[in-house]
Amino acid sequence: MFDRRSILISGPALALAGSPATARAVNDPEANKALIRRFFEEVWSTGDLSRRDDFLAAEYRGHIAGAATPIDRDGWTAWFRGFRTAFPDAGFTVEDMIAEGDRVAARLTMRGTHLGSLNGVPATGRAVVVSGMSLERVADGRIVEGWNENDALGLLQQLGVIPPPPA
């Protein structure tokens, strides 16, 4: 039987510490997956920035394709506002998740309508479906680092900015 007052380490991915009142999972892949799923459901799919600090650590660093340097939590907020302006009805579906230790990988699908400017592309009113991948590193129940990739070419084709490939 497990004594909650002591430290228990079960493999490299799980550590429980403290008294029964303060015991909590650290680097628990299932808890980390639940956190990331909730982040996409409660923030990304709703646009609710009031929940940001429930998910992103103060020291958060985000790696966005094409950006020369990582962004911090406030940089993420500015970027997210721009995204939600372009796609105010964006909704995310988590298609798959894999977790190991402090990392969670998610395959995602975003569905939304282009109703605002996006990187200089004026609103088209077109509905889009975009696939993407997200890799997040979690510490102490918050996301501390993230890497995100999406099908930007497919998005630009759906918006009519770039012609689709020939049939």
Side-chain angles (χ1 to χ4, degrees):
M1 186 72 184
F2 150 77
D3 178 3
R4 289 199 244 190
R5 291 170 293 171
S6 64
I7 296 175
L8 170 72
I9 298 177
S10 174
L14 181 65
L16 296 177
S19 68
T22 61
R24 66 185 179 87
V26 177
N27 289 338
D28 174 358
E30 292 305 314
N32 292 345
K33 284 169 48 176
L35 175 78
I36 301 308
R37 183 176 300 280
R38 286 183 34 243
F39 184 50
F40 280 100
E41 291 171 353
E42 298 173 22
V43 177
W44 280 96
S45 289
T46 67
D48 183 2
L49 277 171
S50 73
R51 301 293 315 279
R52 178 197 76 172
D53 295 354
D54 294 340
F55 296 95
L56 297 182
E59 67 276 14
Y60 173 81
R61 292 292 173 262
H63 306 272
I64 298 175
T69 59
I71 58 174
D72 62 11
R73 188 166 67 174
D74 290 336
W76 179 90
T77 301
W79 181 90
F80 184 74
R81 282 189 176 122
F83 168 79
R84 291 302 296 196
T85 297
F87 297 98
D89 63 345
F92 287 78
T93 303
V94 176
E95 306 291 354
D96 289 303
M97 295 184 96
I98 299 171
E100 184 173 328
D102 64 352
R103 309 278 171 131
V104 177
R107 184 175 65 88
L108 307 158
T109 302
M110 186 277 287
R111 291 171 177 79
T113 311
H114 185 218
L115 299 175
S117 179
L118 175 70
N119 295 331
V121 177
T124 63
R126 293 183 180 191
V128 299
V129 178
V130 180
S131 62
M133 303 285 283
S134 178
L135 176 64
E136 310 293 342
R137 185 169 63 86
V138 178
D140 296 324
R142 299 279 190 286
I143 302 165
V144 294
E145 196 165 18
W147 297 262
N148 298 283
E149 298 286 339
N150 63 63
D151 180 12
L153 177 60
L155 172 62
L156 293 173
Q157 289 172 336
Q158 291 176 66
L159 296 179
V161 175
I162 295 175

